[in-house]
Amino acid sequence: MRKTYKRGDYVEWNSEAGRVRGVILKKIISDIRIKGYVHHASRDEPQYLIKSDKTDHVAIHKGRVLRLLKRNRRTTVRKSRGKRR
């Protein structure tokens, strides 16, 4: 049985730069064109739009490359409070 994810899930995946963590923004269940490339998705094999924690980059990945993480105080991204003194 394949694992499905939902919006708001905190996940991790492997990229060229190493492990990346982020939050799922949307579950894609039909073909979608992003930056000139068609990503194929279906109800049986959805893809997910994910926003990276560190860079705010939005990526699209199949569920089989994602790993669900538990979100806790250490892994949540905090907004900057300004300059440190």
Side-chain angles (χ1 to χ4, degrees):
M1 185 173 159
R2 292 186 184 154
K3 172 69 177 156
T4 59
Y5 302 96
K6 61 185 182 304
R7 185 174 58 184
D9 281 349
Y10 192 58
V11 294
E12 180 179 67
W13 68 96
N14 194 21
S15 77
E16 302 85 25
R19 302 300 289 177
V20 181
R21 294 177 178 191
V23 177
I24 292 181
L25 300 176
K26 186 175 182 180
K27 180 179 178 179
I28 309 295
I29 57 172
S30 62
D31 293 354
I32 185 171
R33 182 180 297 272
I34 297 179
K35 296 183 181 179
Y37 180 77
V38 176
H39 294 268
H40 299 285
S42 66
R43 288 191 185 276
D44 293 332
E45 200 168 344
Q47 294 210 28
Y48 300 90
L49 280 175
I50 310 159
K51 185 175 181 180
S52 168
D53 280 349
K54 290 185 179 179
T55 64
D56 289 336
H57 173 78
V58 177
I60 185 167
H61 290 292
K62 292 184 178 180
R64 66 177 174 238
V65 302
L66 302 175
R67 191 179 99 189
L68 185 64
L69 298 174
K70 290 184 181 180
R71 186 170 250 197
N72 60 34
R73 284 191 294 238
R74 291 179 184 252
T75 59
T76 55
V77 176
R78 295 182 184 162
K79 293 190 176 191
S80 175
R81 295 183 187 175
K83 294 181 180 179
R84 294 182 86 182
R85 295 182 184 162

